[in-house]
């Protein structure tokens, strides 16, 4: 094996598969390949068409659009992008320009929608699938609208930032099931072969009874956008959305939800309560970093005397660690993107073919649509989101938070309607001082 | 299972204004204060460089270039604690106009060290552009002619390193002795030039006017595959799972083997 040989890369190593953060420009070669793929698809005139639309054309939403286009090659669909929506015109234009650059038919001008209501216009089109990839605060509202419009949905994670948002999402998810809609979430580890195989082994008892687990997303800080005096506070906060809990839920919700979702997958249950600590030491400039924390350390108590240690931080110059470690009565499992090692009497190491999970999640969605197979991850991702939200609530308040308290919480971070205008910066939460947002 | 612990906290910005180090003063005389430089550390012409904002030292050793002149190569692959100072601007209070002028990468959107280890471990997941810019920043900070080697230079360095074919495991982290992770720079034997990890550990970016290359092989490669002849052309597969559009030009989502070392055409400028 020569993993430095590009032909072997996908079989071997830790890919650092991430979240929703834009960064830089593409290699031109990527376009030429995409273009070739698109033309190959056009040539297959017999291939059925699947019409997709995007709400939220940032780096991740546009990336997901190309993942969906690419997935058609495997699912057998010719993918047509029929509508693009975003709060900001330049995002929509950039996504459309990306299509042109890739040699794919662009979206006609009357189907490019901007503003806070862009999602409504997208839902009114004849698209089959909607990709939801705005900042998370908007998600549950957009998801509910997409379900009302009877669209299949790819929803990025997380799907809410507060208890009311989770409830709205759960209600819509239940309805989407009744309607037979397919829903896939951007918790892409669920579509990653190393995780799928490891989880099968863990659940059948290869490391014995699961007694505890640890999960980490420790890294440096992410991008930020400086506010501009000519823009309203709402616009400045949306453009710098990571740092405002009404939009992102804080980094434990926006990013660490990936690991907490794996914990849910391992435990096959919801946590009873969470307690923990958090704070803000290295990102203290409210102008650049809003009011969110830069570290959390939490203990989740699961039924059956099991517990999960959850740790996440975004502090520059610190050690990175993004993985999950599961302790069983007879062994352990170490999981990471492309990596799965089990120890104990039934030791095992993943050595299979690792596919790109960002692509695979769209392949799985499209296959489910094509074959009318059940696939709906709505409830699952809403619960994982609530796990993250209750962790934030516990760290912000300094109080133990139960699952029921989080689920029934009437604390609203995300207003039902948003428009450009003033929005004073929220204070940084101080444990023990009352605020839990 | 590899259970890694990371007990070494980074203190990259804790150095205060000073630096300066070592040296045998016979070439340069007394060390200059407040200068981001150093001087020769051995009679052979090797020298060490300190960079304000970073607690470590980067040692350079001489090699003979194709035209017979003497150039210098860093003994180690550039470690994360140095790269952090560059990418996160941890040297803010020491930045100069020249160092500020170097375009920095975007911040990585995930843990680019992949949990392999950080302080002292080679910086990885780097695009050729990220490596090139860091070298330019080192040059600006240290007043040396730091840059990526050309592929011809790298091969010359490799040849002069004289790593014995029958003892590669004593000099290199490869798939046989480290299938899952990089290791701290400089933990294997030094080669004949005084360099570490030329074979294996992180692969090393080099320049060619048109064609960047990755040299030397990495921890992922078999003992028989690392070495002076190991040369890869970058592929879009090295960043295929970046979920963003446009994909990052700085970070390689599927390039855990992509690191670099630097060469210098000159010794530090006295008194700069």
């Amino acid at each position: 094996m020569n993993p430095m040989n590009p032909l072997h890369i996908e079989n071997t190593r830790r890919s650092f598969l991430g979240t929703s953060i834009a960064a830089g420009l593409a290699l031109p070669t990527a376009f030429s390949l995409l273009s070739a793929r698109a033309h190959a698809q056009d040539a297959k005139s017999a291939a059925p068409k699947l019409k997709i639309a995007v709400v939220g054309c940032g780096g991740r939403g546009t990336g997901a659009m190309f993942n969906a286009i690419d997935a058609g090659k495997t699912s057998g669909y010719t993918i047509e992008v029929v509508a693009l929506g975003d709060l900001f015109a330049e995002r929509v234009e950039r996504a459309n320009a990306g299509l042109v650059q890739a040699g794919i038919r662009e979206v006609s001008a009357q189907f490019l929608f901007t503003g806070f209501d862009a999602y409504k216009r997208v839902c009114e089109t004849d698209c089959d699938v909607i990709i939801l990839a705005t900042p998370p605060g908007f998600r549950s509202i957009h998801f509910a609208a997409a379900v009302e419009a009877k669209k299949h949905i790819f929803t990025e994670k997380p799907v809410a930032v507060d208890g009311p948002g989770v409830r709205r999402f759960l209600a819509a998810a239940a309805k989407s099931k009744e309607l037979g809609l397919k829903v896939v979430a951007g918790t892409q580890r669920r579509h990653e072969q190393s995780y799928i195989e490891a989880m099968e082994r863990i659940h059948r008892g290869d490391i014995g009874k699961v007694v505890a687990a640890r999960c980490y997303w420790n890294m440096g800080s992410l991008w930020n956008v400086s506010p501009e005096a000519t823009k309203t506070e709402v616009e400045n906060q949306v453009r710098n959305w990571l740092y405002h809990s009404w939009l992102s839920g804080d980094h434990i919700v926006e990013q660490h939800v990936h690991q907490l979702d794996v914990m849910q997958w391992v435990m096959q249950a919801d946590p009873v309560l969470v307690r923990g600590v958090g704070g803000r030491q290295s990102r203290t400039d409210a102008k650049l970093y809003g009011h969110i924390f830069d570290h959390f350390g939490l203990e989740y108590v699961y039924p059956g005397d099991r517990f999960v240690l959850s740790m996440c931080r975004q502090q520059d110059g610190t050690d990175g660690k993004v993985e999950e470690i599961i302790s069983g009565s007879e062994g352990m499992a170490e999981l990471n993107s492309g990596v799965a090692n089990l120890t104990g009497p039934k030791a095992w190491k993943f050595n299979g073919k690792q596919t790109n999970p960002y692509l695979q999640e769209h392949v799985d969605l499209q296959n489910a649509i094509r074959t009318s197979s059940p696939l709906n991850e709505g409830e699952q991702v809403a619960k994982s989101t609530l796990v993250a939200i209750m962790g934030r609530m516990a760290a912000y308040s300094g109080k133990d938070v139960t699952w029921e308290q989080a689920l029934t919480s009437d604390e609203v971070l995300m207003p039902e309607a948003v428009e450009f205008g003033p929005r004073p910066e929220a204070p940084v939460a101080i444990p023990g001082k009352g605020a839990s947002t | 299972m590899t259970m890694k612990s990371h007990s070494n906290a980074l203190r990259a910005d804790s150095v205060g204004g000073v630096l300066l180090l070592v040296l045998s003063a016979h070439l340069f005389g007394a060390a200059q204060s407040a200068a981001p430089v150093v001087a020769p550390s051995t009679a052979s012409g090797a020298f060490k460089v300190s960079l304000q904002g970073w607690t470590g030292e980067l040692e350079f050793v001489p090699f003979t270039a194709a035209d017979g002149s003497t150039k210098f190569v860093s003994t180690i692959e550039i470690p994360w604690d140095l790269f952090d100072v560059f990418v996160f601007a941890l040297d803010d209070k020491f930045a100069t106009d020249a160092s500020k002028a170097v375009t920095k990468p975007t911040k990585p959107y995930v843990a680019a060290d992949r949990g392999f280890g950080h302080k002292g471990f080679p910086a990885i997941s780097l695009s050729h552009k990220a490596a090139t810019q860091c070298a330019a920043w080192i040059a600006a900070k240290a007043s040396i002619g730091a840059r990526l080697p050309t592929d011809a230079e790298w091969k010359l360095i490799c040849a002069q390193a004289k790593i014995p074919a029958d003892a590669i495991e004593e000099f290199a982290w490869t798939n046989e002795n480290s299938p899952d992770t990089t290791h701290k720079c400089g933990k294997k034997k030094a080669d004949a030039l005084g360099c570490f990890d030329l074979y294996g550990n992180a692969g090393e970016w080099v320049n060619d006017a048109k064609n960047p290359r990755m040299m030397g092989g990495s921890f992922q490669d078999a003992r028989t595959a690392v070495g002076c002849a190991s040369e890869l052309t970058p592929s879009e597969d090295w960043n295929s799972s970046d979920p963003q559009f446009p994909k990052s030009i700085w970070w390689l989502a599927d390039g855990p083997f992509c690191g670099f070392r630097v060469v210098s055409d000159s010794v530090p400028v006295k008194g700069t």
Side-chain angles (χ1 to χ4, degrees):
Chain A
M1 179 175 71
N2 174 11
M4 269 188 73
N5 180 331
L7 294 175
H8 292 94
I9 293 298
E10 67 175 7
N11 293 337
T12 52
R13 283 304 328 163
R14 300 184 188 228
S15 296
F16 60 56
L17 305 172
T19 55
S20 50
I21 316 302
L25 300 168
L27 295 169
T29 48
F31 293 117
S32 48
L33 265 200
L34 267 175
S35 172
R37 286 183 199 130
H39 288 139
Q41 284 174 5
D42 287 346
K44 283 192 278 177
S45 55
K49 234 181 226 181
L50 192 69
K51 289 178 278 191
I52 69 169
V54 183
V55 175
C57 297
R60 179 75 272 266
T62 312
M65 174 183 80
F66 281 111
N67 290 145
I69 291 167
D70 243 3
K73 193 179 170 192
T74 305
S75 69
Y77 279 116
T78 295
I79 306 299
E80 188 180 339
V81 184
V82 298
L84 298 172
D86 195 282
L87 181 54
F88 303 116
E90 77 270 13
R91 297 285 181 175
V92 165
E93 285 158 11
R94 190 183 67 166
N96 214 20
L99 289 172
V100 173
Q101 207 171 352
I104 296 166
R105 194 164 75 194
E106 67 181 322
V107 177
S108 58
Q110 74 263 35
F111 295 110
L112 301 177
F113 304 110
T114 58
F116 286 107
D117 285 347
Y119 73 100
K120 292 181 181 171
R121 305 290 89 76
V122 170
C123 287
E124 288 163 4
T125 68
D126 67 346
C127 66
D128 304 301
V129 180
I130 295 185
I131 292 170
L132 299 178
T134 64
F138 297 103
R139 190 99 66 241
S140 63
I141 297 164
H142 294 179
F143 182 78
V147 171
E148 281 301 316
K150 299 185 173 58
K151 307 297 186 186
H152 303 296
I153 298 163
F154 172 79
T155 172
E156 258 307 336
K157 39 47 63 176
V159 297
V161 296
D162 51 23
V166 169
R167 293 199 296 276
R168 182 190 293 117
F169 194 99
L170 280 169
K175 182 161 189 190
S176 73
K177 255 189 176 171
E178 286 168 23
L179 293 170
L181 301 174
K182 314 305 172 197
V183 176
V184 164
T187 38
Q188 80 282 344
R189 285 161 179 76
R190 301 268 188 170
H191 301 263
E192 192 167 347
Q193 199 56 34
S194 58
Y195 276 92
I196 292 167
E197 291 188 26
M199 216 56 81
E200 282 173 6
R201 289 167 190 271
I202 292 167
H203 287 158
R204 78 185 184 200
D206 280 14
I207 60 169
K209 181 175 178 259
V210 172
V211 293
R214 290 170 279 163
C215 63
Y216 308 87
W217 195 311
N218 293 344
M219 63 176 290
S221 67
L222 300 172
W223 59 266
N224 65 283
V225 178
S226 295
E228 295 179 25
T230 56
K231 294 184 167 71
T232 65
E233 287 170 329
V234 164
E235 178 169 356
N236 277 323
Q237 290 183 25
V238 171
R239 289 189 182 276
N240 203 30
W241 62 270
L242 289 172
Y243 306 102
H244 302 277
S245 64
W246 67 281
L247 290 160
S248 70
D250 205 320
H251 72 95
I252 184 176
V253 180
E254 194 281 323
Q255 185 174 63
H256 191 45
V257 66
H258 281 296
Q259 275 76 44
L260 295 171
D261 178 66
V262 173
M263 297 294 98
Q264 289 286 97
W265 194 4
V266 168
M267 295 299 188
Q268 298 178 294
D270 302 323
V272 178
L273 67 81
V274 59
R275 64 173 62 91
V277 296
R280 165 177 169 115
Q281 294 172 311
S282 73
R283 287 192 307 210
T284 54
D285 184 348
K287 198 174 165 193
L288 301 178
Y289 299 114
H291 62 99
I292 69 166
F293 282 5
D294 58 19
H295 64 280
F296 292 85
L298 299 155
E299 176 202 28
Y300 288 93
V301 178
Y302 275 80
D305 297 326
R306 300 174 298 165
F307 67 91
V308 163
L309 164 73
S310 141
M311 187 187 298
C312 58
R313 74 170 165 226
Q314 293 181 348
Q315 296 176 325
D316 290 347
T318 59
D319 288 1
K321 188 176 187 67
V322 180
E323 67 181 338
E324 303 89 35
I325 301 167
I326 297 113
S327 297
S329 56
E330 294 169 30
M332 293 179 73
E334 184 188 41
L335 309 177
N336 201 329
S337 289
V339 176
N341 293 323
L342 269 57
T343 62
K346 294 180 179 168
W348 167 81
K349 183 173 182 176
F350 176 73
N351 205 20
K353 181 174 170 58
Q354 181 71 6
T355 51
N356 176 356
Y358 296 102
L359 178 62
Q360 191 61 43
E361 57 195 2
H362 289 277
V363 171
D364 293 343
L365 175 61
Q366 292 171 17
N367 281 342
I369 294 169
R370 185 174 49 76
T371 60
S372 295
S373 309
L375 178 58
N376 193 313
E377 299 178 345
E379 180 181 348
Q380 169 186 298
V381 72
K383 286 185 165 184
S384 295
T385 299
L386 188 66
V387 174
I389 289 170
M390 70 191 280
R392 183 199 65 222
M393 291 169 70
Y396 276 19
S397 67
K399 312 283 188 193
D400 292 1
V401 175
T402 67
W403 177 259
E404 286 306 313
Q405 282 174 325
L407 188 58
T408 60
S409 165
D410 56 6
E411 180 181 66
V412 176
L413 275 63
M414 181 69 193
E416 294 236 1
V418 183
E419 53 189 37
F420 290 125
R423 188 177 175 99
E425 188 66 55
V428 176
I430 300 176
K433 298 291 184 188
S436 61
T437 55
Chain B
M1 169 180 308
T2 52
M3 303 295 292
K4 299 168 283 290
S5 74
H6 312 300
S7 56
N8 296 321
L10 275 185
R11 294 182 191 86
D13 61 349
S14 62
V15 199
V18 213
L19 39 107
L20 243 303
L21 29 134
V22 197
L23 7 352
S24 59
H26 32 302
L27 271 185
F28 287 85
Q32 305 290 308
S33 62
V37 185
V38 174
S41 59
T42 74
S44 69
F47 61 88
K48 293 182 181 179
V49 171
S50 285
L51 302 169
Q52 285 174 315
W54 179 49
T55 54
E57 306 169 351
L58 194 58
E59 181 171 14
F60 289 78
V61 292
F63 69 96
T64 304
D67 63 1
S69 66
T70 297
K71 293 183 179 179
F72 305 87
V73 58
S74 67
T75 57
I76 58 170
E77 293 165 344
I78 300 303
W80 272 119
D81 36 307
L82 175 52
F83 199 84
D84 282 347
V85 180
F86 168 57
V87 69
F88 295 124
L90 300 178
D91 63 337
D92 248 6
K93 52 185 178 245
F94 309 116
T96 62
D97 288 347
S99 70
K100 281 192 225 169
V102 177
T103 304
K104 291 180 185 296
T106 53
K107 292 177 179 178
Y109 59 91
V110 285
D113 66 12
R114 295 155 200 272
F116 293 171
H118 207 82
K119 186 175 183 180
F121 284 72
I124 51 171
S125 313
L126 306 177
S127 71
H128 180 263
K129 184 178 177 73
T132 300
Q133 292 301 102
C134 185
W137 173 83
I138 291 170
K141 294 273 289 182
S143 298
I144 56 173
R147 57 178 172 76
L148 295 187
T150 65
D151 61 350
E153 282 172 335
W154 194 94
K155 286 172 184 169
L156 275 174
I157 292 164
C158 196
Q160 292 169 34
K162 296 178 181 163
I163 293 171
D166 59 355
I168 287 173
E169 64 278 7
E170 295 174 29
F171 292 83
W173 296 110
T174 66
N175 191 45
E176 286 83 359
N177 58 23
S178 183
D180 294 325
T181 178
T182 55
H183 282 260
K184 277 193 174 182
C185 303
K187 292 301 180 190
K188 287 287 189 182
K189 276 187 180 174
D191 58 37
L193 281 178
C195 290
F196 300 90
D197 305 318
L198 267 174
Y199 292 10
N201 215 22
E204 299 180 11
W205 280 116
V206 296
N207 267 334
D208 184 311
K210 292 178 187 164
N211 304 303
R213 291 274 194 278
M214 178 67 58
M215 310 297 282
S218 79
F219 68 97
Q220 296 186 341
D221 292 302
R223 186 185 305 139
T224 51
V226 300
C228 300
S230 176
E231 181 172 350
L232 288 176
T233 302
S235 156
E236 69 174 22
D237 290 345
W238 296 6
N239 200 24
S240 66
S241 64
D242 182 342
Q244 306 290 324
F245 177 87
K247 290 179 186 289
S248 176
I249 58 170
W250 300 104
W251 303 98
L252 298 178
D254 308 293
F257 47 84
C258 296
F260 71 110
R261 77 176 68 221
V262 296
V263 295
S264 176
D265 296 316
S266 57
V267 298
V269 178
K270 183 181 177 184
T272 55

